[in-house]
Amino acid sequence: MLDLQRLRALHAVSVHGTVGAAAAALGFTPSAVSQQIAKLERETRTVLLEREGRGVRLTDEAWQLVEAAAQLLAIVERAETRLEERRGVPSGRLTIAAFASAARGLLPSVLADLAVRHPGLDARLTEVDPHLSVDLVAKGAVDLVVAHDWDIAPLPAPAGVEQAPVGEDLCDLLVPAGHRFAGRTAVRRDELGGERWICQPPGRVCHDWLMRTLRGAGHEPGIVHQADENPTLVALVAAGLGVALIPRLGRGPLPAGVVEVPLDPMPVRRLYALWRTGAARRPAIAETVRTLRAHWPTVAARTSPPRQAAAHV
C-alpha cells in the first residue's frame, strides 16, 4: 500500500524542482521530505531520485508515480471539498501563493480578517512570482493564487483553473527630483525614449511589460539597473541613477528625492484570484476570494497618492 503523504512529497519535488523548495511548500524540513521519499523508494523497491549536480532528477519510474499521485491528490481534494461544503464553513488548510507586492500590501489584512472570522481555517501564504504561481495552482501544489497581468499582456488561465478579478493597480513613472519630467502633470509614452531605466530582471511580468510598452512606442529600452524588489528600485531612483515604472500596491511612501509622475494613458495592472475547478465549491476558496475583493477598495485608496504633483517638486 503506497502512503499518500510520501506520494505528496514526491509530487511536490516534481512541481517545485528541488527537495528544499518542496519542503518549504509543504511546511516540512528538507530532511523530512528526503526521508519520506527514501521510505517510498524502499516500499516500491525503485530508485526515484538521482543526484544531478547540486540538485536531483526524477527517474522515469518516479514520473509514473507522480502522475498517479496527481490523480490521487485530486480525488482527495474533491472528497475534502465535499466534506467542507457539507459543514458550510471555511475550514482546514488553505495554501495561498501571491506575488511580492500583493503579499506585502494586500494579504496581511486579508489573512488577519480570515483568522478572526474563521478560526477553523488554517490559511498559509507563500510568495511566488505570477509566472510560476499559476502553474503551481494548476498542478495542485497550492490551493489559491493571487496573480496579476498588465493591460497589454493578459494572464492566461490554464485548463482546469478558474479565476476572478480582485482589482486594478495603477502604475506611475518615478523619476529623481530635478528630472525633466519632475514638474509635469502627465507624460505620454512616446516621450519615454532615451531614459536610463531601472526595472526587474528579464522573465518577470513587470520587465516584460516595460519592454513591450517602450518598443510599442518606438523606443528600445536602455536598462541600466535591475533588481527584484520594488523598494530597491525606488532607492536606485532616489540616488538619481535612472527612472522606473512601479505599481502602487505595496510600494510604500516615496523617499525624498523621488517624484511620482502619471503616465498618459496610465498603465493598469489587474489582480486575479485563481483556483482549481475541482475546488471551486470549497467554502474556504469562496470566502477567501470574497475577502480579497472586499479588502481591495480600502487597499487601493490607501495606495493612491494625493494628486498634488507640486508637493513632490
Side-chain angles (χ1 to χ4, degrees):
M1 180 70 68
L2 296 176
D3 185 276
L4 183 61
Q5 292 306 315
R6 293 165 193 167
L7 289 173
R8 189 189 299 273
L10 181 65
H11 180 265
V13 173
S14 75
V15 171
H16 296 281
T18 67
V19 171
L26 294 172
F28 300 145
T29 64
S31 62
V33 171
S34 296
Q35 290 171 15
Q36 290 286 339
I37 295 176
K39 291 178 181 178
L40 186 59
E41 288 183 323
R42 290 195 294 271
E43 289 175 349
T44 59
R45 301 184 184 89
T46 304
V47 176
L48 301 176
L49 297 183
E50 294 180 342
R51 289 289 179 184
E52 189 173 66
R54 295 185 178 180
V56 294
R57 180 183 67 85
L58 273 71
T59 64
D60 292 341
E61 293 80 6
W63 283 111
Q64 292 181 10
L65 280 180
V66 165
E67 183 178 353
Q71 296 173 9
L72 290 172
L73 292 172
I75 293 171
V76 171
E77 180 179 62
R78 289 194 295 271
E80 291 174 341
T81 296
R82 286 194 290 268
L83 287 174
E84 186 179 327
E85 188 179 12
R86 286 181 63 87
R87 288 192 293 267
V89 294
S91 60
R93 179 178 294 188
L94 182 75
T95 53
I96 303 171
F99 61 97
S101 53
R104 181 171 58 250
L106 174 60
L107 268 299
S109 62
V110 169
L111 293 174
D113 188 4
L114 290 171
V116 170
R117 293 187 295 107
H118 303 290
L121 178 62
D122 180 16
R124 302 190 178 194
L125 172 67
T126 185
E127 184 180 304
V128 181
D129 189 74
H131 279 324
L132 302 175
S133 62
V134 176
D135 189 49
L136 292 180
V137 76
K139 292 181 177 179
V142 297
D143 299 314
L144 181 72
V145 160
V146 179
H148 70 79
D149 67 9
W150 291 89
D151 45 4
I152 64 171
L155 176 72
V161 174
E162 299 182 23
Q163 65 180 35
V166 173
E168 294 186 342
D169 185 25
L170 302 181
C171 180
D172 299 296
L173 177 67
L174 301 186
V175 303
H179 188 276
R180 63 189 178 108
F181 293 147
R184 297 276 294 274
T185 56
V187 174
R188 300 189 311 275
R189 297 184 186 187
D190 60 10
E191 299 180 87
L192 297 176
E195 294 296 331
R196 292 171 60 84
W197 288 96
I198 302 166
C199 72
Q200 293 181 331
R204 304 292 293 273
V205 176
C206 293
H207 179 280
D208 296 346
W209 181 90
L210 177 65
M211 301 297 284
R212 290 190 188 191
T213 298
L214 294 185
R215 286 172 177 168
H219 306 303
E220 185 60 28
I223 297 175
V224 294
H225 301 292
Q226 300 178 43
D228 282 316
E229 296 294 331
N230 283 343
T232 304
L233 302 179
V234 173
L236 291 169
V237 174
L241 299 174
V243 303
L245 283 169
I246 301 183
R248 295 177 182 177
L249 177 64
R251 191 174 69 194
L254 295 178
V258 177
V259 178
E260 174 190 86
V261 185
L263 282 183
D264 182 19
M266 182 170 285
V268 175
R269 183 171 69 164
R270 299 171 298 200
L271 275 66
Y272 296 94
L274 300 98
W275 61 93
R276 287 179 299 284
T277 301
R281 299 173 64 178
R282 184 180 174 189
I285 296 287
E287 179 62 11
T288 301
V289 173
R290 189 200 68 78
T291 305
L292 284 165
R293 300 178 76 172
H295 277 248
W296 178 253
T298 301
V299 170
R302 189 171 64 242
T303 58
S304 296
R307 294 296 278 153
Q308 296 178 355
H312 291 294
V313 180

